[in-house]
Amino acid sequence: MPKPLVEVTKEITFEAAHYLHNPKWDRVKNLQIFNKCSGFRKDDPKALYYPHGHSYRLRVMVKGPVHPETGFVMDFKVLKSVIEKEVSDRLDHRFINKEVEPFKSDPLFQTTVENLLVMIWKWLDPAIKREKASLYELTLWETSSSFASYRGPKAK
């Protein structure tokens, strides 16, 4: 009989600051596209690279067969530990543009939830595989009503 595949989910929150800014564009275009997220201030022409912060919420879903001896796909404590090491330790209370790679060294790589999800997947995927599970889906909320989901590079 085939082992049933089950999805297991863990959520965390973290606080981080960032701005959205394209160095190829002038102040006017950055404000037009990114508005108050641009790092510029409409009322202060000297303001540049001013961050704003979010209380992010991340949902991590892993999938795999139920282990016959433990009854787990992946122990919640282990999943929490992996997420803390690979995500929280890198992002919590950080200024993403200035402290977190690859955003720090590539100012054209925007710190959007979409790009954060791709990076978080790259950080988590190897650690989840070592636990004999598969990363299935990530969802990242920037606000309570604005979020994105990602199912990895092979999703269609």
Side-chain angles (χ1 to χ4, degrees):
M1 181 163 109
K3 294 180 183 178
L5 291 178
V6 176
E7 296 165 11
V8 174
T9 303
K10 186 76 179 161
E11 289 189 4
I12 63 154
T13 58
F14 61 92
E15 313 297 322
H18 76 129
Y19 57 81
L20 301 173
H21 176 90
N22 189 324
K24 291 182 175 182
W25 299 342
D26 64 13
R27 180 180 189 277
V28 171
K29 186 166 183 179
N30 271 288
L31 276 167
Q32 180 183 36
I33 301 298
F34 298 126
N35 201 346
K36 64 183 178 181
C37 299
S38 69
F40 290 107
R41 298 293 181 258
K42 287 181 183 176
D43 59 349
D44 182 357
K46 294 178 184 174
L48 178 62
Y49 307 128
Y50 279 74
H52 63 281
H54 295 284
S55 296
Y56 290 93
R57 184 171 122 214
L58 175 66
R59 175 180 292 156
V60 177
M61 293 177 69
V62 301
K63 184 165 124 177
V66 176
H67 189 280
E69 293 176 9
T70 65
F72 298 144
V73 169
M74 184 173 180
D75 186 328
F76 282 115
K77 291 181 291 192
V78 173
L79 181 55
K80 179 182 178 185
S81 176
V82 166
I83 296 167
E84 286 174 350
K85 179 180 181 229
E86 300 299 334
V87 180
S88 296
D89 289 356
R90 289 181 178 169
L91 294 173
D92 193 33
H93 288 84
R94 301 286 183 201
F95 184 175
I96 299 170
N97 303 71
K98 303 291 184 185
E99 297 181 80
V100 179
E101 292 293 353
F103 305 102
K104 178 180 168 182
S105 58
D106 184 358
L108 289 173
F109 193 43
Q110 299 297 331
T111 57
T112 60
V113 291
E114 296 91 337
N115 284 334
L116 283 166
L117 281 170
V118 172
M119 292 314 306
I120 292 168
W121 187 282
K122 288 179 181 179
W123 298 335
L124 285 174
D125 193 43
I128 300 294
K129 284 180 179 169
R130 282 192 294 275
E131 297 299 325
K132 309 288 189 262
S134 299
L135 196 50
Y136 178 67
E137 181 178 86
L138 299 175
T139 301
L140 183 62
W141 284 261
E142 191 174 78
T143 69
S144 61
S145 61
S146 300
F147 60 93
S149 296
Y150 181 58
R151 288 196 174 158
K154 296 178 184 172
K156 294 180 183 190

